[in-house]
Amino acid sequence: MTAKSVLQIPNFQEQYLTSTMKRYKMKTPAWMRVPTDSVEVIELINGHPNGLAHLGAWERLQAWAVRNWKTGGLFIVRQRPMTVSDIAVHSGLQPIHVPILEAAIPRFIDLGWLEKRSSNDLETIMETIEKRFEERIQNSTAQNRTIQWSKDSGFTNISDSDMKGWIETHPNLDIGHELKKMADWLKSNPRGYKQYRRFITNWLNRARPNGPAPISSDSGWLKDLGDD
């Protein structure tokens, strides 16, 4: 038995997902990213008597895919490939529009806007999509981790990557020792900062290799270490 094919918008995640969507911070987008100018669009319109209708159908397919962006551009429903009639219904079209969509889909494939995937590979495709989303969420979380400081706990949320970066950019400084000096200074100057990452960066940029760190707020460059 020949396996059914499932339609997919290629490179969907790279072309359509916003940074908010990639961080799983948006469930149902109200808009989508599309090119403002495209040679393929002109070819689609002028290459068929119903070219303009085909363009309208393509807008509806894109809109459905963006609303259901967690499928990664796959036209599936309940983990099964969608038929042309399914796609029409779920995209907000009427039964009268199905013939137009049937004629348009091969044109979308020829233009590289759609591709056919084997339904036998559907489980593997979905696993790959989910894995990419998880990796992006983890990377986004790590990149946006907020460094904090308190008198009781000291600095928190400093990652190995943070330490490696500071060591590479300040090879003449003992980063661990500098952090201890920062903590001592903060204890003596109980002022809250919004961005401790910036505080640390500014300190390291102005610190003297192997030199003592000033501990008084009257010490010039310490006055503007923070974020305001």
Side-chain angles (χ1 to χ4, degrees), residues 8 12-13 17 20-29 64-74 76 79 125-131 133 137:
Q8 183 179 26
F12 175 80
Q13 293 174 319
L17 298 195
T20 304
M21 294 159 71
K22 291 176 182 178
R23 295 196 302 270
Y24 265 35
K25 299 294 185 181
M26 182 182 295
K27 293 183 179 180
T28 306
W64 181 90
V66 171
R67 286 197 305 272
N68 299 273
W69 55 274
K70 292 182 182 180
T71 67
L74 284 168
I76 58 175
Q79 302 297 316
I125 294 170
M126 289 303 299
E127 288 178 354
T128 301
I129 292 171
E130 291 172 0
K131 183 178 180 181
F133 276 129
I137 292 172

Side-chain angles (χ1 to χ4, degrees), residues 8-11 15-16 38-48 51 54-55 58 62 103-115:
Q8 183 179 26
I9 298 177
N11 302 317
Q15 294 183 15
Y16 289 87
S38 171
V39 174
E40 290 81 6
V41 168
I42 303 302
E43 181 180 343
L44 181 74
I45 295 173
N46 296 331
H48 192 280
H54 292 174
L55 179 61
W58 174 239
Q62 292 178 94
I105 286 177
R107 302 190 68 208
F108 299 155
I109 293 173
D110 289 341
L111 290 171
W113 293 355
L114 285 179
E115 63 181 2

Side-chain angles (χ1 to χ4, degrees), residues 62-94:
Q62 292 178 94
W64 181 90
V66 171
R67 286 197 305 272
N68 299 273
W69 55 274
K70 292 182 182 180
T71 67
L74 284 168
F75 287 87
I76 58 175
V77 58
R78 292 187 290 274
Q79 302 297 316
R80 294 183 179 180
M82 297 169 68
T83 65
V84 175
S85 295
D86 291 333
I87 294 174
V89 171
H90 286 275
S91 299
L93 303 178
Q94 300 296 321

Side-chain angles (χ1 to χ4, degrees), residues 122-181:
L122 188 55
E123 184 175 349
T124 301
I125 294 170
M126 289 303 299
E127 288 178 354
T128 301
I129 292 171
E130 291 172 0
K131 183 178 180 181
R132 287 180 180 175
F133 276 129
E134 290 174 358
E135 290 175 348
R136 282 173 172 161
I137 292 172
Q138 292 173 358
N139 292 337
S140 176
T141 300
Q143 292 173 0
N144 293 300
R145 184 186 294 113
T146 302
I147 295 176
Q148 298 292 337
W149 182 88
S150 69
K151 188 173 182 180
D152 295 329
S153 303
F155 286 109
T156 55
N157 292 337
I158 292 179
S159 68
D160 292 341
S161 178
D162 292 328
M163 290 295 293
K164 181 180 179 181
W166 293 329
I167 290 171
E168 289 178 351
T169 55
H170 301 84
N172 296 323
L173 295 177
D174 183 335
I175 303 301
H177 188 55
E178 292 298 329
L179 288 170
K180 291 179 180 178
K181 291 192 290 187

